[in-house]
Amino acid sequence: MFVLVELFGIPRQRAGQAVVKLEVCEESTCLGNIVLQLTKLFPDLAEECFEGRRLQTGYIASIGGKTFVRSPVTKIRAGESLL
């Protein structure tokens, strides 16, 4: 199972790619776990955009382009896109 993460603007520049496919072990995970996975893969992205398991002020995530979220405990289901 996976979550597709699409990056735009500064996050895309720091990661050096537009799309990241992340493996998830269960049917859902949380935004904080996705942030931790991205931190391990892209330290430059983490330094600019994350504070631990949280998004830094000025950054927001969107589940499927429909719901905007910031809380690290927000559930993200396998197969969803996170922008």
Side-chain angles (χ1 to χ4, degrees):
M1 292 183 263
F2 68 92
V3 171
L4 192 65
V5 180
E6 298 180 54
L7 303 168
F8 299 92
I10 292 172
R12 181 181 287 187
Q13 290 175 342
R14 297 297 185 262
Q17 59 191 83
V19 179
V20 181
K21 190 174 182 178
L22 296 177
E23 292 286 331
V24 292
C25 298
E26 299 179 20
E27 289 185 25
S28 69
T29 187
C30 64
L31 180 59
N33 288 344
I34 290 173
V35 166
L36 287 178
Q37 282 186 277
L38 291 171
T39 295
K40 291 176 186 175
L41 292 171
F42 307 106
D44 289 342
L45 172 66
E47 184 177 316
E48 179 75 28
C49 303
F50 306 143
E51 293 175 3
R53 295 169 43 99
R54 296 182 175 274
L55 300 174
Q56 283 191 15
T57 301
Y59 292 96
I60 195 161
S62 175
I63 301 170
K66 296 177 182 176
T67 305
F68 291 96
V69 298
R70 290 192 42 81
S71 172
V73 297
T74 301
K75 293 291 183 193
I76 313 293
R77 291 186 302 238
E80 288 187 310
S81 291
L82 185 67
L83 292 75

